[in-house]
Amino acid sequence: MNELQKYDLIKPLGEFKPMGPISHVEIQPVKEYGDYCEPCNAGDEDFWSVYVRYDPSKNDKHFGGVDCIADCSDFDAAVRIANLVSGMLGVEVVGA
């Protein structure tokens, strides 16, 4: 349990259901602008997000895009979660 607390999650991984084959896990710095958030340059972030990237070449509907699976207060926490998820999925981590 102490190891999980190191992640300092803003939004937990709960209720994630993949919508298609996943090609990789991404880490992005994110800036909050009142009622919306956007990826930004490292150093300007309010938090770090971990995403799974869907591979449109691996499904019959050619579905692509990303799902945010966790928001973390710092980069190290995002890396730990991304590495955990990528290991479970057998895909690589990219980004930041």
Side-chain angles (χ1 to χ4, degrees):
M1 189 60 151
N2 287 340
E3 185 65 25
L4 290 177
Q5 290 172 340
K6 288 182 186 176
Y7 293 130
D8 192 16
L9 296 178
I10 298 167
K11 182 175 105 183
L13 290 165
E15 298 187 32
F16 169 67
K17 294 179 182 160
M19 297 189 296
I22 295 170
S23 63
H24 60 271
V25 177
E26 296 180 12
I27 301 171
Q28 294 276 340
V30 179
K31 182 81 174 163
E32 189 172 2
Y33 298 98
D35 60 347
Y36 71 98
C37 299
E38 288 189 4
C40 65
N41 294 320
D44 295 334
E45 76 279 347
D46 291 314
F47 58 93
W48 290 83
S49 290
V50 179
Y51 302 89
V52 291
R53 170 73 62 182
Y54 295 107
D55 189 342
S57 69
K58 293 184 179 177
N59 64 75
D60 58 353
K61 296 179 182 170
H62 301 288
F63 174 76
V66 297
D67 257 334
C68 182
I69 58 171
D71 291 328
C72 304
S73 59
D74 63 43
F75 176 73
D76 291 337
V79 168
R80 288 192 299 270
I81 289 176
N83 286 335
L84 175 68
V85 172
S86 71
M88 290 188 310
L89 297 174
V91 298
E92 67 178 338
V93 176
V94 299

